[in-house]
Amino acid sequence: MIGIIVADGTLKESDSGKLQAGEAKQSFETAGIAPMERASRVTRFFMSIVSWAEGLNLKYAKFGNPPVYDNATFPWSSEIEKAWPEIRKELDHVLLRQSELPAFQDISTDVKTISTDKNWKTFFLIGFGVKSEQNILACPNTWAAVQKIPNLKTAMFSIFEPGKHLPPHRGPYNGVLRLHVGMIVPEQSDRLAIRVKDQICHWHEGKALIFDDAYEHEAWNHTDKTRVVLFVDFVKPTRFPANFVNWSLMNLAVFTPFIREGLDNHKEWEKRFYAEAEKLRNQPGR
């Protein structure tokens, strides 16, 4: 629901997308994790376009290609941080039904390559540009806050239950950047952290962390308490022609089988979740 799968997981350079000397390179292959493959001719063609676009995104990036960004690069991030108290209140209400929230791989099935248990739960407001109207109604202040993010694509609460560890992996497409805002961070220690390339980062409640998930990264919660972040993907700022190609791919991706499957899975979960809420509201004595 939040990505585009690349056929062989590797960034290929073309004459039009060669990196300049000294620029970062991104590889999309992770040892021990098999890439998801779809055999249709149309999908393979689309993936070849994606591979070409990745080279453009690196070459024409407005702010370079660091694994982790200085928050000052994106001034709107301070506005999201200011909204933390209101967002946290809405999250607390969502977590009253934490056990009923879907595991990430139940929505985006490609996530099964890195997570198969039920300890990574999600609550989507928008996935790849498609809104969850019911969830937005439940979190109006959160929705108002993320509207300040230019070219927003995905926004959700990402819930790591105790003991969760995502193994090293790479995002499937480098046309987006990722924002985490710490919502519930039980402690500051190496038991709770995220590694992006060679940088170990720690979440802080009410603070933004902006990184490029196209670099290898892993995250873990080895504490005995739940960790929650506001998880956002937004379009990576690039110059022409990369910005035009990236915009085109982002708008076409929602029609791919992979994205459609994730959207359908979320709609089914949403229907069950709110039907149960309505049933509880209508019980005698309530």
Side-chain angles (χ1 to χ4, degrees), residues 23 26 68 70 81 86 89 92 114 122 124-125 127 129 159 163 195 237 245 250 260:
E23 279 205 74
Q26 292 172 332
V68 179
D70 184 332
E81 291 178 339
E86 291 77 21
K89 288 177 185 177
D92 288 343
I114 57 172
T122 63
F124 276 92
L125 300 181
I159 302 155
R195 176 183 64 83
V245 173
M250 291 291 181
R260 298 310 309 176

Side-chain angles (χ1 to χ4, degrees), residues 5 12 27 51 53 69 102 111 118 121 128 130 132 135 137 145 154 161 178 206 223 284:
I5 297 299
K12 298 174 182 176
S27 169
S51 183
Y69 286 80
V111 175
K118 299 295 184 182
K121 294 184 180 295
F128 222 82
V130 179
S132 172
N135 287 357
L137 285 174
T154 292
E161 295 186 342
R178 182 154 296 165
T223 77

Side-chain angles (χ1 to χ4, degrees), residues 1-3 104 108 122-131 143 146 149-157 176-179 230-235 250 259 263:
M1 191 169 177
I2 61 169
F104 205 154
S108 293
T122 63
F123 188 83
F124 276 92
L125 300 181
I126 185 170
F128 222 82
V130 179
K131 299 175 185 177
W143 181 244
V146 299
I149 301 174
N151 298 309
L152 173 72
K153 283 298 175 183
T154 292
M156 67 177 186
F157 291 121
V176 295
L177 297 177
R178 182 154 296 165
L179 163 74
L230 177 65
F231 173 121
V232 170
D233 281 344
F234 60 96
V235 176
M250 291 291 181
I259 300 297
L263 295 174

Side-chain angles (χ1 to χ4, degrees), residues 27-193:
S27 169
F28 289 82
E29 185 175 351
T30 300
I33 299 179
M36 188 176 180
E37 295 183 3
R38 293 188 182 273
S40 80
R41 187 175 303 171
V42 172
T43 302
R44 289 199 304 272
F45 173 75
F46 183 75
M47 289 174 175
S48 70
I49 299 298
V50 168
S51 183
W52 168 69
E54 287 165 351
L56 293 180
N57 290 335
L58 287 175
K59 182 177 180 180
Y60 294 102
K62 283 186 176 181
F63 305 121
N65 298 288
V68 179
Y69 286 80
D70 184 332
N71 288 354
T73 306
F74 302 99
W76 48 258
S77 64
S78 63
E79 295 300 311
I80 309 301
E81 291 178 339
K82 290 177 185 176
W84 178 79
E86 291 77 21
I87 298 173
R88 175 61 191 269
K89 288 177 185 177
E90 293 178 343
L91 168 65
D92 288 343
H93 185 72
V94 168
L95 291 179
L96 293 175
R97 299 178 67 188
Q98 182 173 337
S99 64
E100 299 173 64
L101 300 180
F104 205 154
Q105 72 270 15
D106 293 338
I107 303 299
S108 293
T109 56
D110 69 301
V111 175
K112 290 179 181 178
T113 60
I114 57 172
S115 182
T116 56
D117 58 32
K118 299 295 184 182
N119 292 338
W120 185 14
K121 294 184 180 295
T122 63
F123 188 83
F124 276 92
L125 300 181
I126 185 170
F128 222 82
V130 179
K131 299 175 185 177
S132 172
E133 299 291 353
Q134 294 268 45
N135 287 357
I136 288 171
L137 285 174
C139 299
N141 292 320
T142 305
W143 181 244
V146 299
Q147 293 308 291
K148 298 173 182 177
I149 301 174
N151 298 309
L152 173 72
K153 283 298 175 183
T154 292
M156 67 177 186
F157 291 121
S158 172
I159 302 155
F160 266 25
E161 295 186 342
K164 184 60 183 174
H165 189 139
L166 284 183
H169 62 287
R170 292 177 172 91
Y173 178 56
N174 69 357
V176 295
L177 297 177
R178 182 154 296 165
L179 163 74
H180 283 179
V181 181
M183 290 289 117
I184 299 176
V185 183
E187 66 178 64
Q188 294 297 319
S189 77
D190 287 340
R191 298 199 303 165
L192 182 65

Side-chain angles (χ1 to χ4, degrees), residues 85 103 206 258 264 281:
F258 164 66
D264 290 343
R281 278 197 296 269

